[in-house]
Coordinates of all heavy atoms in Angstrom, one line a residue:
G767 N 120.4 7.9 -39.7 CA 121.1 7.0 -40.6 C 120.1 5.9 -41.1 O 120.2 5.5 -42.3
D768 N 119.3 5.3 -40.2 CA 118.4 4.3 -40.6 C 117.3 4.9 -41.5 O 116.7 4.2 -42.4 CB 117.7 3.7 -39.4 CG 118.6 2.6 -38.7 OD1 119.5 2.1 -39.4 OD2 118.5 2.4 -37.5
A769 N 116.9 6.2 -41.3 CA 115.8 6.8 -42.0 C 116.2 7.3 -43.4 O 115.4 7.0 -44.4 CB 115.2 7.9 -41.2
I770 N 117.3 7.9 -43.5 CA 117.7 8.5 -44.8 C 119.0 8.0 -45.4 O 119.4 8.4 -46.5 CB 117.8 10.1 -44.7 CG1 119.0 10.5 -43.8 CG2 116.5 10.7 -44.2 CD1 119.2 12.0 -43.8
G771 N 119.6 7.1 -44.7 CA 120.9 6.5 -45.2 C 122.1 7.1 -44.6 O 122.1 8.3 -44.3
H772 N 123.1 6.3 -44.3 CA 124.3 6.8 -43.6 C 125.1 7.8 -44.4 O 125.7 8.7 -43.8 CB 125.2 5.6 -43.2 CG 125.4 4.6 -44.3 ND1 126.2 4.8 -45.4 CD2 124.8 3.4 -44.5 CE1 126.2 3.8 -46.2 NE2 125.4 2.9 -45.7
G773 N 125.2 7.7 -45.7 CA 125.9 8.6 -46.5 C 125.3 10.0 -46.5 O 126.0 11.0 -46.3
T774 N 124.0 10.1 -46.6 CA 123.3 11.4 -46.5 C 123.5 12.0 -45.2 O 123.7 13.2 -45.1 CB 121.8 11.2 -46.9 OG1 121.7 10.6 -48.1 CG2 121.1 12.5 -46.9
A775 N 123.4 11.2 -44.1 CA 123.5 11.8 -42.8 C 124.9 12.3 -42.6 O 125.1 13.4 -41.9 CB 123.2 10.7 -41.7
M776 N 125.9 11.6 -43.1 CA 127.3 12.1 -43.0 C 127.5 13.4 -43.7 O 128.1 14.3 -43.2 CB 128.3 11.1 -43.6 CG 128.6 9.9 -42.8 SD 130.0 10.2 -41.7 CE 131.4 10.2 -42.9
A777 N 126.9 13.6 -44.9 CA 127.0 14.8 -45.7 C 126.3 16.0 -44.9 O 126.9 17.1 -44.9 CB 126.4 14.6 -47.1
L778 N 125.2 15.7 -44.4 CA 124.5 16.8 -43.7 C 125.2 17.2 -42.4 O 125.2 18.4 -42.0 CB 123.1 16.3 -43.3 CG 122.0 16.1 -44.4 CD1 120.7 15.5 -43.9 CD2 121.8 17.5 -45.1
A779 N 125.9 16.3 -41.8 CA 126.7 16.7 -40.6 C 127.8 17.7 -40.8 O 128.2 18.4 -39.9 CB 127.3 15.4 -40.0
A780 N 128.3 17.8 -42.1 CA 129.3 18.7 -42.4 C 128.9 20.2 -42.1 O 129.7 21.1 -41.9 CB 129.8 18.6 -43.8
A781 N 127.6 20.4 -42.1 CA 127.1 21.7 -41.8 C 127.4 22.2 -40.4 O 127.4 23.4 -40.2 CB 125.5 21.8 -42.0
G782 N 127.8 21.3 -39.5 CA 128.1 21.7 -38.2 C 129.3 22.6 -38.1 O 129.3 23.7 -37.5
F783 N 130.4 22.3 -38.9 CA 131.6 23.1 -39.0 C 131.3 24.4 -39.7 O 131.8 25.5 -39.4 CB 132.7 22.4 -39.7 CG 133.5 21.4 -38.8 CD1 133.0 21.1 -37.5 CD2 134.6 20.8 -39.2 CE1 133.7 20.2 -36.7 CE2 135.3 19.9 -38.4 CZ 134.9 19.6 -37.1
G784 N 130.4 24.3 -40.8 CA 130.0 25.4 -41.5 C 129.3 26.5 -40.7 O 129.6 27.7 -40.8
F785 N 128.4 26.0 -39.8 CA 127.7 27.0 -38.9 C 128.7 27.7 -38.0 O 128.5 28.9 -37.8 CB 126.7 26.2 -38.1 CG 126.1 27.0 -37.0 CD1 125.0 27.8 -37.3 CD2 126.6 27.1 -35.7 CE1 124.4 28.6 -36.3 CE2 126.1 27.8 -34.7 CZ 125.0 28.6 -35.0
T786 N 129.7 27.0 -37.5 CA 130.7 27.7 -36.6 C 131.4 28.9 -37.3 O 131.5 30.0 -36.8 CB 131.7 26.7 -36.1 OG1 131.0 25.7 -35.4 CG2 132.7 27.4 -35.3
A787 N 131.8 28.6 -38.6 CA 132.5 29.6 -39.3 C 131.6 30.8 -39.6 O 131.9 32.0 -39.5 CB 133.0 29.0 -40.7
A788 N 130.3 30.5 -40.0 CA 129.4 31.6 -40.4 C 129.0 32.4 -39.2 O 128.9 33.6 -39.3 CB 128.1 30.9 -41.0
Y789 N 128.8 31.8 -38.0 CA 128.4 32.5 -36.8 C 129.5 33.5 -36.4 O 129.2 34.6 -36.1 CB 128.1 31.5 -35.7 CG 127.5 32.2 -34.5 CD1 126.1 32.4 -34.4 CD2 128.3 32.6 -33.4 CE1 125.6 33.0 -33.3 CE2 127.8 33.2 -32.3 CZ 126.4 33.4 -32.2 OH 125.9 34.1 -31.1
V790 N 130.7 33.0 -36.4 CA 131.8 33.9 -36.0 C 131.9 35.0 -36.9 O 132.2 36.2 -36.6 CB 133.1 33.1 -35.9 CG1 134.3 34.0 -35.6 CG2 133.0 32.0 -34.8

């Protein structure tokens, strides 16, 4: 968050749920 901004970090974190769906 300090390095790239809190908004960008929040957006990238959404990939966590996406990975779960794709893996299953």
Side-chain angles (χ1 to χ4, degrees):
D768 280 336
I770 66 174
H772 46 74
T774 304
M776 281 273 290
L778 289 175
F783 280 9
F785 171 84
T786 299
Y789 186 87
V790 175

